[in-house]
Amino acid sequence: MKTLIIYNSQTGFTAKYAQWMAEATGADRMELKEAKKKDLKYFDDYNKIIYGGWVMGGNVSKLQWFEQYLSAWKDKKLAVFAVGASPEDSESVEEFLEKTFGGEQWKGVAHFYCQGGLDYDRMSMPNKMLMKMMKKSLDGKKDKTPQEEEMAQMLGRSYDISDRKYAEPVIDWIQGE
């Protein structure tokens, strides 16, 4: 079986996961900007196609690009891995996955979450400003929930909580039948 990992990365966390997955499985990998240039026929040789994108504001970056091909690729095994700044065991991660992949169009598409981090030095200016606004809003909120308190602390600095172990479920899926 031939596998392709297509990814969109802003600060490097999603690219790192795509690399780890490709190294472990022998899958091909390609940045989204290159995949967008390909004719739909290009993907015919692949049995499995995985899309990886970074999460911000409860959305996976450029997921709509992958979603538009779900019906065209219905004969393939499909998956999405989302890389976010929240720890994997955060309540918000399960809510995010259900909200994002709970619709009818996602039936049969595997989905995974990989914790990444924040890198303000590599972040685009508009996203950096948005993150700072989110932090300021949380800092000004009275009676914060423990989850909001944790989020406010996390938004205050760059950090990396990525680990190869979070790629393992995706690697297992790629290597499975």
Side-chain angles (χ1 to χ4, degrees):
M1 290 202 132
K2 199 168 173 190
T3 301
L4 176 63
I5 301 167
I6 301 167
Y7 66 95
N8 181 41
S9 188
Q10 177 182 218
T11 59
F13 296 105
T14 308
K16 184 184 343 183
Y17 276 107
Q19 181 177 345
W20 287 341
M21 292 169 195
E23 288 171 355
T25 64
D28 294 337
R29 70 185 167 102
M30 175 184 299
E31 286 190 63
L32 177 61
K33 64 183 175 187
E34 291 303 313
K36 285 180 168 183
K37 296 175 187 175
K38 303 291 184 188
D39 182 273
L40 192 56
K41 243 177 157 14
Y42 172 85
F43 302 99
D44 286 351
D45 291 339
Y46 292 98
N47 305 87
K48 293 181 179 181
I49 300 177
I50 302 157
Y51 176 73
W54 49 278
V55 178
M56 184 168 179
N59 296 301
V60 179
S61 65
K62 310 292 184 190
L63 184 61
Q64 64 276 18
W65 177 86
F66 185 75
E67 187 175 12
Q68 74 181 335
Y69 294 112
L70 292 179
S71 61
W73 292 339
K74 63 180 177 263
D75 61 329
K76 300 178 184 305
K77 294 192 183 236
L78 303 173
V80 175
F81 69 94
V83 179
S86 295
E88 181 188 47
D89 59 358
S90 171
E91 288 177 25
S92 62
V93 170
E94 193 58 42
E95 292 169 12
F96 154 75
L97 291 172
E98 178 58 36
K99 179 186 140 255
T100 304
F101 301 108
E104 189 66 32
Q105 74 275 24
W106 294 105
K107 286 209 188 294
V109 178
H111 56 273
F112 305 91
Y113 180 82
C114 302
Q115 64 183 40
L118 287 175
D119 186 342
Y120 283 109
D121 291 336
R122 297 180 71 191
M123 195 177 289
S124 71
M125 186 54 71
N127 286 340
K128 194 182 297 189
M129 290 173 57
L130 183 61
M131 299 303 275
K132 291 191 183 295
M133 286 174 29
M134 286 173 56
K135 173 154 177 42
K136 188 174 182 174
S137 172
L138 284 170
D139 286 344
K141 187 173 181 184
K142 294 181 194 271
D143 301 322
K144 290 189 250 326
T145 66
Q147 187 177 358
E148 290 169 332
E149 194 70 53
E150 178 185 22
M151 180 64 75
Q153 287 178 350
M154 293 175 79
L155 291 174
R157 60 181 168 69
S158 293
Y159 60 92
D160 182 350
I161 54 174
S162 61
D163 191 302
R164 283 181 187 263
K165 71 181 180 184
Y166 300 112
E168 288 301 321
V170 186
I171 291 167
D172 290 345
W173 181 87
I174 293 169
Q175 293 174 333
E177 294 297 317

